[in-house]
Amino acid sequence: MQDSKNLILAIVLCLVILFGWGRLAEYMGWVQTPDPAAVAQQQEAVRQEAVKAEQHKEEAAKAATLPVFTPAPGRDLTVDSPLYEAVFYTGGGPLRSFKLKKFQTGLAPDSPLVNMVDERTAAVAPLGLVINSQPSWSTGQWSLDSGEQNLKLDAGQQGALRLVGVVDNLRVVRELTFNADSYLIKEKIRLINAGDQPRSVRVSYTVASDASNAAGGRYDSMRVAWDNDGSLSEESSSKTLESTGVQATGKIYWAGAMSTYFLSAVLPGETNNVTVKGLLQKTVYRTAVEEPENLLAPGQEKELTVSYWLGPKDRTQLLAVSDQLAKSIDLGMFSIIAKGLLWLLEFFHKYVHNWGVAIILLTIVIKAVFWPLTAKSYASMEKMKKLQPMMTAIREKYKDNKELMNKEVMALYKTYGVNPASGCVPILIQLPVFFGLYQALLTSIELRHAPFIMYLPFTDKLWLADLSAKDPYYITPVIMGLTMFLQQRMSPPATDPTQQKIMMFLPLIFTVLFLGFPSGLVIYWLVNNILSIFQQWLMMRKNKAAARAEA
C-alpha cells in the first residue's frame, strides 16, 4: 500500500514540476509565450514547402518517365513531291537542298532547276532551330523518329518527318508536315524540360537564300522582307545588311529573304512580340524569327507552331495560305487596279496561251476604255493648234512684258473657249492604270521565262523568249522610241520654245530608259503608242473632212 502511495506521490510531483515550472518561468519572465499569429504563419510556410516538395517529386517522376533518348548519326533524307525535291539532314533538320520542279534557272530545256537552298545557303543551315542562342543542328544530339525511308508524296498526299533531340539539356521534338500540293511546310515543336531545375527557353526559326536566286539589277534584286501588322517592310541595301543588319519586333506575320519571283519565309504561329533579325553573310541573305522567352518548370512541356514557305511568289497559292503572305508581291499604291489588270491578263491567256499576245489584248482593252478621254485630249490640242499663229503674235508683241503677255494669252483662251489643261487631264487619269499595270507585269511570275516570239525572225537566235527580261537586241525599245517620235510629230507643237526642246528629247530619253525594261512592259508601251497614232490619224482625218465641208 505504501509503495502505491509513494508511486502516486512521485507522479504528482513530476506533473507539478513539468507544468508548474513552465507557469512559474512564464510568470517570472524567464520565457516568452509565442504569438498565435506567428505560429500560424510558420505552420502555413511549412505546409507550402511540403506542397512544393510534393510537386517537385511528381514533376521529377514525370520527367523520369520520358523514353530513353538514343542519338543516331545524321544523314540526308529526301522529301519528293510534285512541286519540289527537298533534302533534309536528320541531325537537327536543316535543309541541304530545295529544288523547285516547275522552275528552271535558264531558258534552255536542260537548264538546272531553281534551287532555293544551294551549297552556299545550305552552309548556314536554313530551317535549323536556334535554341537559347545555340545552333541545335551542331550542338544537339538527334535521332529520326519517323522511319528510315525517304518520303515520297503523290498529288493530294501529306507526309511527316519527326525528329527527336536533346539540345542544351532540353528534350526537343520536331514534327514537319508536307503537302504535295503546296510549298508550305508546317511544323510542331515540343520542348520538354527533363531536368530538375526551372529553365528559360528561347527559340528562333531560320531561313536563308543566296543572291543567285535573283537575276540581279533593278527589277529582280534579293532582299530581306517582313510583314509587321499588315505593313510590308523591305531592306535590299547590301551595305546595311552586311554592317548592322535589320531588326524589328511586333506582330510579325512572316519574314524571310525574297527576290521578285521567289520567297523563303518563316510564318510564326504566335505573331505578337516576335523579333525579326536579317543580315547578309557574303552572298547569303539570312533571316531569323525569334519567339518570346518561355519559362519551363521541371517536367513541363511547351508546344510551338511555325510554318515555312519556300517557293515561287505565285499570288493564288500565297493567298491560299494568308492575305499577309500574298503581300510579299508588292503591287504598289494602285494595287486594286493592278489586281484587276492581272485578272484580265490571266483571262486572255486562258484563250490565247501566249502571255505576249495577252498583253497586247489587254493594251487594246485599256485603250478602248480611255478612247473618249484621249479623243477629248486630241480635240483640245487641235484647238490649241488653230490658236498657234495668234499665240505667236501675242508673244512677239509683248515679249518684253511677261505679265501683259500672259494676260492676253488667257484672254485668247477665254474668247475661243480653250482650256490649256484639258489636254493633260486624260493623261493624268491614265497614269494610275499605267503604274498599276507596270507593277502587275513587273511582279508577275507568270511572265518569268514566258515567251512571246521565241526566235528572231529568220534566225535561230533567242529574242523575246522571256517577257520578264529585257530585249537582248533592243529592237522593241528602239521601235517604241520611233513610234513616240512619230506621235509627237503628229501633235501640235508646244507654244513655249523651252517646252518644244524638252518634247523633242522625250522620245530619246524614253528609249534609253526602256532599254533595260522587261520586254513585257516595252510591248505594252509600244502597242499603246501604235494605237495612239492610229487614233490620232483618225482624228486628223475627221478634222480635215470637217474643214473641207466648211469650205
Side-chain angles (χ1 to χ4, degrees):
M1 177 66 71
Q2 184 65 34
D3 291 338
S4 299
K5 289 181 179 180
N6 292 337
L7 177 61
I8 293 171
L9 180 61
I11 293 172
V12 170
L13 289 173
C14 289
L15 291 174
V16 169
I17 293 171
L18 181 63
F19 292 103
W21 175 259
R23 292 286 184 181
L24 178 62
E26 182 180 345
Y27 176 78
M28 297 297 293
W30 296 341
V31 296
Q32 294 180 352
T33 303
D35 184 7
V39 172
Q41 185 176 0
Q42 185 178 6
Q43 290 175 345
E44 178 63 21
V46 171
R47 189 187 68 80
Q48 289 181 359
E49 287 295 329
V51 171
K52 288 182 179 179
E54 186 64 26
Q55 289 177 345
H56 177 77
K57 183 178 178 181
E58 291 177 358
E59 289 170 349
K62 181 180 177 182
T65 61
L66 289 172
V68 177
F69 172 69
T70 304
R75 69 174 184 86
D76 288 347
L77 184 147
T78 301
V79 178
D80 190 8
S81 86
L83 298 178
Y84 57 82
E85 180 187 85
V87 179
F88 289 85
Y89 181 61
T90 60
L95 277 168
R96 300 278 208 186
S97 172
F98 201 95
K99 295 180 180 179
L100 306 180
K101 293 185 175 181
K102 296 188 176 183
F103 298 91
Q104 294 176 282
T105 56
L107 295 172
D110 58 349
S111 293
L113 297 176
V114 170
N115 190 358
M116 300 292 290
V117 180
D118 59 8
E119 290 184 4
R120 287 187 292 267
T121 307
V124 302
L127 265 67
L129 297 180
V130 178
I131 300 176
N132 291 340
S133 301
Q134 297 186 25
S136 66
W137 57 93
S138 60
T139 61
Q141 293 180 306
W142 294 88
S143 67
L144 182 64
D145 196 37
S146 53
E148 293 295 327
Q149 301 299 320
N150 293 329
L151 195 59
K152 172 70 175 177
L153 301 177
D154 295 324
Q157 289 185 334
Q158 287 190 348
L161 172 63
R162 193 168 183 267
L163 299 170
V164 179
V166 173
V167 183
D168 193 24
N169 296 321
L170 292 164
R171 183 67 63 88
V172 182
V173 180
R174 300 190 66 183
E175 185 172 343
L176 296 149
T177 302
F178 309 91
N179 189 322
D181 303 321
S182 175
Y183 295 95
L184 189 72
I185 301 172
K186 298 181 179 180
E187 179 175 15
K188 288 183 180 179
I189 303 166
R190 291 171 56 210
L191 302 168
I192 307 164
N193 182 2
D196 57 1
Q197 296 294 327
R199 294 291 311 279
S200 61
V201 183
R202 190 174 64 257
V203 178
S204 295
Y205 318 112
T206 64
V207 288
S209 187
D210 187 72
S212 60
N213 279 333
R218 178 181 176 184
Y219 304 107
D220 188 14
S221 61
M222 186 63 67
R223 56 235 189 234
V224 172
W226 62 96
D227 186 311
N228 191 346
D229 198 16
S231 177
L232 178 65
S233 299
E234 298 182 2
E235 181 56 69
S236 59
S237 170
S238 57
K239 184 178 180 180
T240 300
L241 291 171
E242 285 177 332
S243 57
T244 61
V246 292
Q247 182 171 325
T249 301
K251 192 174 183 180
I252 306 297
Y253 288 108
W254 62 267
M258 72 178 188
S259 63
T260 300
Y261 302 112
F262 300 101
L263 171 67
S264 298
V266 174
L267 292 78
E270 297 292 335
T271 58
N272 288 321
N273 298 320
V274 178
T275 299
V276 176
K277 298 177 182 178
L279 53 86
L280 173 61
Q281 290 182 328
K282 295 182 179 179
T283 62
V284 180
Y285 290 73
R286 301 183 67 186
T287 307
V289 175
E290 185 178 270
E291 292 270 10
E293 189 173 73
N294 290 284
L295 184 65
L296 299 182
Q300 186 179 356
E301 177 180 320
K302 174 70 175 180
E303 184 176 284
L304 302 173
T305 59
V306 65
S307 299
Y308 307 92
W309 178 276
L310 290 97
K313 291 164 68 174
D314 182 295
R315 190 168 174 273
T316 302
Q317 295 191 52
L318 293 172
L319 276 172
V321 177
S322 70
D323 291 339
Q324 290 79 22
L325 193 62
K327 289 181 181 178
S328 62
I329 303 176
D330 185 9
L331 295 176
M333 62 185 299
F334 301 108
S335 58
I336 295 178
I337 296 174
K339 290 174 184 178
L341 295 174
L342 277 174
W343 182 86
L344 274 175
L345 193 65
E346 292 168 358
F347 173 79
F348 289 131
H349 182 262
K350 288 180 183 178
Y351 296 96
V352 298
H353 306 291
N354 183 299
W355 288 106
V357 176
I359 290 173
I360 292 174
L361 293 175
L362 178 63
T363 309
I364 294 172
V365 169
I366 294 173
K367 193 64 181 177
V369 170
F370 287 110
W371 188 280
L373 281 174
T374 310
K376 187 177 180 180
S377 176
Y378 288 155
S380 177
M381 287 191 293
E382 191 64 29
K383 289 181 181 179
M384 290 289 292
K385 186 177 180 180
K386 291 179 180 179
L387 296 180
Q388 193 67 32
M390 288 180 279
M391 295 274 291
T392 303
I394 291 173
R395 291 181 185 278
E396 284 293 326
K397 184 178 180 181
Y398 301 102
K399 61 182 178 180
D400 296 327
N401 191 336
K402 293 287 184 181
E403 184 178 349
L404 187 58
M405 180 181 66
N406 292 332
K407 187 177 180 180
E408 289 295 325
V409 168
M410 294 305 295
L412 183 66
Y413 288 153
K414 187 175 180 180
T415 301
Y416 288 90
V418 176
N419 184 357
S422 61
C424 300
V425 172
I427 297 174
L428 292 175
I429 294 175
Q430 295 179 61
L431 280 179
V433 175
F434 169 72
F435 286 125
L437 184 61
Y438 171 84
Q439 284 296 119
L441 296 180
L442 188 64
T443 58
S444 178
I445 195 170
E446 289 82 0
L447 299 187
R448 182 184 180 273
H449 293 179
F452 174 38
I453 302 174
M454 182 68 75
Y455 298 100
L456 196 63
F458 312 111
T459 72
D460 58 353
K461 299 182 183 298
L462 291 174
W463 184 28
L464 302 178
D466 183 359
L467 290 171
S468 69
K470 66 179 182 180
D471 184 336
Y473 304 107
Y474 306 111
I475 296 173
T476 49
V478 170
I479 297 175
M480 185 278 302
L482 292 174
T483 57
M484 193 171 183
F485 176 76
L486 178 59
Q487 185 181 0
Q488 188 184 98
R489 296 293 292 179
M490 294 173 67
S491 303
T495 56
D496 184 64
T498 305
Q499 291 182 3
Q500 289 181 14
K501 292 179 182 178
I502 293 174
M503 296 300 291
M504 183 176 65
F505 281 100
L506 270 183
L508 179 61
I509 294 171
F510 268 72
T511 301
V512 173
L513 182 66
F514 274 64
L515 289 177
F517 266 35
S519 55
L521 283 168
V522 180
I523 289 170
Y524 161 74
W525 198 269
L526 170 59
V527 174
N528 183 71
N529 282 356
I530 293 172
L531 293 174
S532 297
I533 290 170
F534 175 68
Q535 184 178 14
Q536 200 162 346
W537 175 78
L538 288 178
M539 293 290 296
M540 291 172 63
R541 186 178 177 184
K542 180 180 178 181
N543 291 334
K544 287 180 180 179
R548 285 196 299 268
E550 290 177 1

